[in-house]
Structure formats: structure tokens, C-alpha cells
Amino acid sequence: MPTREELEAARSRLLPDVLPGPGDPPPRVLFCGINPGLVSALTGHHFARPGNRFWPALHASGFTPRLFAPAEQGLLPGLGLGITNVAPRATARADELDDAELVAGGERLRALVAEVRPRWLAVVGIGAYRIAFGERRAAAGRQERMLGPTGLWVLPNPSGLNAHQTPATLAAAFQELHTNAG
């Protein structure tokens, strides 16, 4: 378990995106977290905090053939999947971000999607999506708006801090996207 000092030092680290490279299939889904947590920034792996339910939901929904550990994130591009974040700044909690960071992240996502061209951009966190894309009334699920040919989908935040979601409801939400992602 990392020390408090190690976690605080991780605030200054950037977490690289997990994107397809040469030889990988075209991306089906680019998952987009709100921002890196301190454990993720420290380890260099997305959704790495113990208790985060992203990896179990990804597996339970059929996106991965088995439960991946955060350190195995490099296997995702081979499955047509990737990971990025709305905001790059690592924090202990997403509510430490301000709206300007999320709006700037929405602009960065538009550029990244135009470059990477996934079939779907799946934002995990309705509040972050609403601010980043200026859609204050958006609901979870498939969005009417598209980014060029890329569809937008909003998933519940898989953080263990999000007590509104159970592993079963998260898996069901991810499964709905999986069914539509082809």
C-alpha cells in the first residue's frame, strides 16, 4: 500500500492514454475516465485504486475474455479498446477538479477522437460528461450527439466512492454498450 507521501507526490504525474498502435484493430470503444486518481498516477495504470470496479465491469460485460488487472491495460488495444481521461490532473477525488478543467478536457477529447476514430467514446461519469460537452441534461446511456462518426455513450462512474452503483448495475450498463459496440 502506498504511503500518503507517495500518493501526494503522484499529483504531479501524467497518466498516458492507452491507445491502439500499428497492428492493432481499429478501436471499437475508447473508455474515458474523469481523471486519474492518485493510485493510478502513482502506478501508471488506469483505474488502479483498489475498490474501483472498472476492470470487473469490463470483464462481466464481455469486453475482455477474463478479468484484467490494471497492470494489463496494454492488452486492451489488441481487443479494439482504449482508455483516456477527460482531465489529465491526478486528484484524490474527481470533485477536486473545476469546471474549466473539464471543459478543456472536452476540447481535447474532440481532437483525440478525430485522430483515433473509435466507434464509441464511453465517458464514465455523467457529471463530467455534462460539463465537458455542455450537455447539462444528459442522462446515462447512448447520446444523440456524435463526434463525427463516433458515437457517445455515458456510463456510471465505476469508482468505489460511487455508492449509487453496484457491481451488477455497472456490469449491466457496460453490457448495454458492449451489445451496441459490435
Side-chain angles (χ1 to χ4, degrees), residues 98-125:
D98 62 37
D99 286 3
E101 289 175 281
L102 296 173
V103 170
E107 291 300 319
R108 185 190 78 80
L109 284 172
R110 288 174 183 85
L112 181 62
V113 163
E115 177 186 334
V116 177
R117 303 182 62 80
R119 273 191 232 151
W120 294 96
L121 174 66
V123 179
V124 293

Side-chain angles (χ1 to χ4, degrees), residues 64-164:
T64 59
R66 62 175 175 78
L67 178 59
F68 287 1
E72 295 178 293
Q73 67 186 17
L75 298 174
L76 293 179
L79 300 173
L81 307 173
I83 305 177
T84 189
N85 287 291
V86 176
R89 183 166 67 96
T91 62
R93 297 176 52 102
D95 62 7
E96 294 176 42
L97 300 170
D98 62 37
D99 286 3
E101 289 175 281
L102 296 173
V103 170
E107 291 300 319
R108 185 190 78 80
L109 284 172
R110 288 174 183 85
L112 181 62
V113 163
E115 177 186 334
V116 177
R117 303 182 62 80
R119 273 191 232 151
W120 294 96
L121 174 66
V123 179
V124 293
I126 186 70
Y129 174 83
R130 288 174 175 162
I131 295 167
F133 289 93
E135 305 232 355
R136 302 284 179 181
R137 298 185 195 278
R142 184 181 194 157
Q143 306 301 301
E144 289 183 30
R145 174 187 208 161
M146 296 187 63
L147 298 179
T150 299
L152 290 167
W153 201 284
V154 177
L155 292 165
N157 184 343
S159 170
L161 301 174
N162 182 4
H164 299 292

Side-chain angles (χ1 to χ4, degrees), residues 24-45:
D24 288 323
R28 292 181 298 141
V29 180
L30 178 59
F31 290 95
C32 181
I34 299 168
N35 74 307
L38 298 180
V39 173
S40 290
L42 179 65
T43 63
H45 304 119

